Amino acid sequence: HVQLVESGGESVQTGGSLKLSCTGSAVTQAGYCMAWFRGDPGKEREGVASLDSLGRTRYADSVNGRFTISKDNDKNTLFLEMNGLKPEDTAMYYCAADPSCGGRWFVPSQYKHWGQGTQVTVS
């Protein structure tokens, strides 16, 4: 059973920074791709950043240059470092993992495993 647990979300002021963490065995599973999504209950989740099994990263245009996705294999942890936060970044942030991804990095239905989310509020 793959379990993902996010943490690090909190309330910050505009222009501030946060670093989210996602811990779970899927982070270091061979061949797995990882991603961060964000969204509110009842709304479709938006892909924010992805990290594939070859270490390649991809970012949504809205966060490119401000957010950085990375992982620490020794700690089984995926990170999302967020700088220059804006009120429109306010959302629940979710960590996702899938054995293959199939090139659909920001398609929520592509990902088999999800965390419970961590709330980020920017004001």
Side-chain angles (χ1 to χ4, degrees):
H1 176 67
V2 175
Q3 184 176 12
L4 299 170
V5 179
E6 302 96 333
S7 62
E10 61 182 73
S11 296
V12 296
Q13 292 187 338
T14 299
S17 299
L18 281 177
K19 190 172 185 177
L20 306 182
S21 299
C22 170
T23 302
S25 59
V27 176
T28 53
Q29 288 270 10
Y32 268 64
C33 57
M34 308 291 301
W36 287 95
F37 285 79
R38 64 186 181 188
D40 294 321
K43 296 183 179 179
E44 186 171 352
R45 295 176 183 179
E46 172 194 17
V48 173
S50 70
L51 177 65
D52 69 18
S53 59
L54 298 179
R56 295 172 298 194
T57 58
R58 294 167 180 83
Y59 298 94
D61 290 342
S62 58
V63 306
N64 196 22
R66 298 188 298 124
F67 290 11
T68 302
I69 187 172
S70 63
K71 69 176 181 176
D72 184 331
N73 288 336
D74 291 338
K75 297 181 179 179
N76 278 0
T77 302
L78 180 76
F79 300 105
L80 182 68
E81 186 167 2
M82 305 184 294
N83 298 308
L85 283 163
K86 306 174 182 180
E88 51 263 45
D89 294 319
T90 294
M92 186 73 81
Y93 282 72
Y94 300 90
C95 172
D98 192 83
S100 64
C101 284
R104 301 194 299 166
W105 316 111
F106 292 151
V107 177
S109 61
Q110 178 62 56
Y111 290 82
K112 184 176 180 180
H113 307 290
W114 292 84
Q116 83 291 347
T118 185
Q119 178 68 38
V120 173
T121 303
V122 185
S123 59

